[in-house]
Amino acid sequence: MLSTMLKAKLHLATVTQAELWYDGSCAIDSDLLDLAGLREFEQIDIYNVNNGERFTTYIIRAEAGSRTISMNGSAARRVQVGDRVIIATYAQYAEEEMIRHKPKLVYLNSDNSVAHRQHYPGADRFLNDAPNLPLRNRRGRLARRAGDRIHANTQSPGERWPNFQSIRCPSPGVKTPTSTVPATRRCIAAPWLNRNASGENRRSSCWDRPWSSVCGGDFGAGTATWFAGGKLNVTTNCIDRHLSTRGEQVAILWEGDDPAESSAITYRELHAQVCRLANVLKSRGIDKGDRVCIYMPMVPEAAYAMLACARIGAIHSVVFGGFSPEALKDRILDSDCKVLITADEGLRGGRRIPLKSNADKALADCPGVHSCVVLRRTGGAVAWHEGRDIWYHQAMAAAAPDCAPALMDAEDPLFILYTSGSTCKPKGSRFWQVIDKHRVNQFYTAPTALRALMGAGDDFVTRTSRASLRLLGTVGEPINPEAWAWYHRVVGESRCPIVDTWWQTETGGHMLTPLPGAIDLKPGSATVPFFGVQPVLLDGEGREVAGAGEGNLAIKASWPGQIRSVYGDHRRMIDTYFSLYPGYYFTGDGARRDADGYYWITGRVDDVLNVSGHRMGTAEIESALVLHEKVAEAAVVGFPHDIKGQGIYAYVTLMAGAEPSDALKRELLELCTREIGAIAKPDVIQWAPGLPKTRSGKIMRRILRKVAASELDSLGDTSTLAYPAVVDDLVRNRQRNSH
């Protein structure tokens, strides 16, 4: 037995940090691990004493004398802080011994007794055996994506061990020095452009039946089919496949409206809750293809509801908790829902939101809804409709904790989604406290929220640690360079990359985005296309703009997440996205592309101003205004002007402690002249302590245009705003600014 144990060098360690890094690796800090002699790309075996799990991984980074080992990212899902692990390495062996004999490895119990012997598979698991074979990435799979870090086999004839070199594949639109990418080693930038389905792709998700073709349809006509013939259920991929190895691992960390209220839900608990609710829905007659409306507060049960619908093949439509009864009614009728899932009340910023009361008003005009499932969130008194209303907790207690997933086609609808979001307005240091509390690694928010936080001062941020942060993200609108720099310098302490992404609800995922560590960042730019995405810039005549230039942003080829239809009105989808420029998906955004191939979103095309015949984007003027140290945020719209045709109307929010004045207004006008030109000077500057925003932080420019044009009797529904009272203040100030 002793001789067998000596086949490997064993490191007994306690995990003090187990996090998935942004580059796909897992960092484990240990108080006992001695990494002297370990090598990059060396294969190792790990035995987790706490749960008895054994797995094989390999080293990505290791430094002699260090106590940190960076491994393949799969390790992050198999260890937790506090686990006792045995790490078996083989650095002490002659390399030929490892290949020839495939030595056995001994795993130890916590009391050092022998637990298991296993044949070591050999360190050639990820290697190519000839220099002309395809490149492979860190997991040994074929490298096929731009940005992959690949292991190139440069083995010479007669060498027993290949000499590995780490090479970064070029990304679309980015010039890569030819010295880093040998001509004989090329990556495919768009993995799905090869229409042949590969076994490797099939194994990336749990498919009950593999697909017969990757992509089909007529993009010019707005139709698309992806992974035709494939059968699966999304909840199997989200939950079931993790139960055998990660059942007790936390799947959801929930933070309540009150920071003292939080909970952690494991994969096993999530599975039981989802299955119970799926059975509740089935007991109310819901089947594959039926629609279910979810009108819930921000609670774990909202996630259970979405997954429960997917479990049985029902289509869910989420209506955010701040919407009015009228807005809720319209969405229920649009989707022809049969069941509504809601709560007695919601909590937002300490205020109670009467969800059930709103639901009762909406359902008075929704005869198709036969069941209303009500979660008891606050215990507030609610009206009750016998035969229609059922208590969530009572129905769940009577339901079985197992429900077989429905077999769904890859193109079956999963959900119906409206384009308005709903997340809470930032409150001082709340974000940063949550990051410290849960050791958050990635933080993702909107530029509008960042500017509001920046306006509150640095102290709210710097009084917290944020040491766990590794990656920052931003989305929703173009971010001005000043907010980007503050985000990077203050929030990320100049050590966290910022992923500035561009996408839309209709695209189903990121379309333009940098890859951290692989793409150089430019403040304010969404950088380059994601894998397989083919953006173009079109001029006013629909011609593609080559090289550096500016135009209307469109997409020229299908991608998996693209919009399939507007529910019940497919013609509207065609007219909105595919008719203006036939053969292209028109995003509605303008953009410019620089000499390096980086894209800069200039804003919605309908946000372009035409002042005295000169066209300019509102985002350009807004960026100039927020350069002033006293300005936290600015929003610019056009308004009718007798001489210019269209005038420039600027709403300006000042930093905390800054006071509005005529002198400051003059400084802002001079700043716009200096940064852009005299043509960009606002005709009206209105001081705005707050701007009308959705709960996701997006500015409702429709309302700003109405106020600027004095069309105050047609402001429309303001119930979807985070703070509807902001509009009253804007109207009062607009009347004083009339001219």
Side-chain angles (χ1 to χ4, degrees), residues 180-377:
T180 64
V181 186
T184 57
R185 301 285 195 240
R186 299 294 183 190
C187 286
I188 300 173
W192 48 70
L193 295 184
N194 179 357
R195 298 306 195 230
N196 297 320
S198 70
E200 200 66 55
N201 281 337
R202 284 192 179 99
R203 288 192 293 271
S204 64
S205 298
C206 295
W207 292 83
D208 294 280
R209 185 184 304 166
W211 62 82
S212 56
S213 64
V214 177
C215 181
D218 183 351
F219 187 67
T223 61
T225 301
W226 283 87
F227 310 113
K231 302 288 186 181
L232 76 167
N233 188 287
V234 70
T235 65
T236 302
N237 286 272
C238 293
I239 308 172
D240 296 56
R241 66 171 174 171
H242 303 301
L243 294 178
S244 61
T245 58
R246 306 168 62 193
E248 306 312 316
Q249 183 174 324
V250 173
I252 297 176
L253 276 173
W254 174 70
E255 187 82 7
D257 188 69
D258 182 347
E261 185 182 20
S262 62
S263 62
I265 299 101
T266 67
Y267 280 101
R268 202 168 309 283
E269 291 168 337
L270 177 62
H271 179 265
Q273 293 293 328
V274 168
C275 287
R276 287 184 187 277
L277 187 52
N279 286 326
V280 170
L281 293 175
K282 289 171 68 175
S283 72
R284 306 298 290 190
I286 297 300
D287 203 352
K288 182 187 293 187
D290 290 338
R291 275 77 59 203
V292 175
C293 182
I294 301 172
Y295 182 58
M296 295 278 279
M298 301 295 280
V299 290
E301 288 80 3
Y304 303 161
M306 294 180 236
L307 290 165
C309 290
R311 190 78 175 181
I312 61 176
I315 303 168
H316 65 267
S317 175
V318 174
V319 179
F320 294 101
F323 279 18
S324 66
E326 187 70 17
L328 173 61
K329 179 197 75 174
D330 290 343
R331 284 153 176 78
I332 291 174
L333 293 175
D334 284 346
S335 304
D336 191 21
C337 296
K338 295 183 177 181
V339 169
L340 173 66
I341 304 176
T342 188
D344 51 4
E345 294 175 316
L347 292 171
R348 186 177 299 278
R351 296 181 296 115
R352 294 195 173 198
I353 311 298
L355 296 179
K356 179 59 164 60
S357 176
N358 290 345
D360 288 338
K361 295 173 185 176
L363 293 182
D365 296 317
C366 299
V369 175
H370 58 68
S371 300
C372 180
V373 183
V374 185
L375 172 72
R376 180 171 286 165
R377 172 72 174 107

Side-chain angles (χ1 to χ4, degrees), residues 155-190:
Q155 179 181 10
S156 301
E159 277 189 303
R160 185 175 297 276
W161 283 81
N163 173 26
F164 273 72
Q165 297 179 349
S166 182
I167 297 175
R168 181 172 296 154
C169 295
S171 292
V174 178
K175 297 178 180 179
T176 305
T178 56
S179 60
T180 64
V181 186
T184 57
R185 301 285 195 240
R186 299 294 183 190
C187 286
I188 300 173

Side-chain angles (χ1 to χ4, degrees), residues 331-565:
R331 284 153 176 78
I332 291 174
L333 293 175
D334 284 346
S335 304
D336 191 21
C337 296
K338 295 183 177 181
V339 169
L340 173 66
I341 304 176
T342 188
D344 51 4
E345 294 175 316
L347 292 171
R348 186 177 299 278
R351 296 181 296 115
R352 294 195 173 198
I353 311 298
L355 296 179
K356 179 59 164 60
S357 176
N358 290 345
D360 288 338
K361 295 173 185 176
L363 293 182
D365 296 317
C366 299
V369 175
H370 58 68
S371 300
C372 180
V373 183
V374 185
L375 172 72
R376 180 171 286 165
R377 172 72 174 107
T378 66
V382 295
W384 204 252
H385 296 255
E386 290 296 336
R388 185 197 72 183
D389 297 349
I390 60 173
W391 281 112
Y392 181 97
H393 63 279
Q394 293 176 353
M396 291 287 280
D402 289 302
C403 178
L407 191 63
M408 307 299 294
D409 187 85
E411 281 291 332
D412 282 338
L414 178 62
F415 55 78
I416 297 170
L417 185 64
Y418 285 79
T419 57
S420 292
S422 178
T423 54
C424 196
K425 181 179 178 180
K427 295 278 196 304
S429 62
R430 175 74 183 274
F431 280 160
W432 326 122
Q433 291 170 345
V434 170
I435 288 171
D436 285 353
K437 178 179 179 179
H438 297 296
R439 295 180 54 78
V440 172
N441 302 126
Q442 301 178 25
F443 179 65
Y444 197 50
T445 190
T448 296
L450 287 176
R451 287 188 285 267
L453 293 165
M454 184 171 63
D458 296 355
D459 183 58
F460 284 114
V461 185
T462 57
R463 70 175 61 162
T464 61
S465 169
R466 308 171 321 286
S468 61
L469 281 178
R470 296 189 185 279
L471 184 65
L472 303 175
T474 176
V475 71
E477 59 184 299
I479 183 171
N480 55 295
E482 293 69 36
W484 192 101
W486 181 84
Y487 198 24
H488 183 259
R489 175 180 54 83
V490 178
V491 177
E493 297 177 324
S494 301
R495 58 180 174 78
C496 298
I498 295 177
V499 177
D500 181 6
T501 60
W502 176 85
W503 58 287
Q504 299 174 323
T505 300
E506 298 88 340
T507 68
H510 296 157
M511 303 294 279
L512 301 173
T513 178
L515 297 180
I519 302 295
D520 291 335
L521 304 177
K522 295 184 180 183
S525 171
T527 66
V528 297
F530 192 60
F531 307 132
V533 176
Q534 300 181 55
V536 294
L537 298 180
L538 302 176
D539 63 18
E541 303 300 320
R543 297 183 295 259
E544 292 189 19
V545 177
E550 190 166 348
N552 299 314
L553 181 61
I555 312 296
K556 67 183 300 182
S558 182
W559 68 98
Q562 78 175 68
I563 184 175
R564 296 302 198 268
S565 185

Side-chain angles (χ1 to χ4, degrees), residues 89-100:
T89 64
Y90 301 86
Q92 65 195 68
Y93 291 120
E95 293 166 341
E96 60 270 19
E97 183 78 2
M98 292 180 65
I99 293 178
R100 187 163 58 246

Side-chain angles (χ1 to χ4, degrees), residues 11-15 28 30-33 49 82-87:
H11 308 261
L12 181 61
T14 300
V15 177
I28 294 183
S30 171
D31 52 354
L32 298 175
L33 186 60
V49 176
D83 282 354
R84 298 283 285 178
V85 297
I86 297 172
I87 302 177

Side-chain angles (χ1 to χ4, degrees), residues 569-585:
D569 192 355
H570 188 72
R571 183 73 247 171
R572 181 180 176 187
M573 191 270 290
I574 299 295
D575 293 342
T576 303
Y577 302 104
F578 293 94
S579 295
L580 184 60
Y581 298 108
Y584 299 91
Y585 168 87

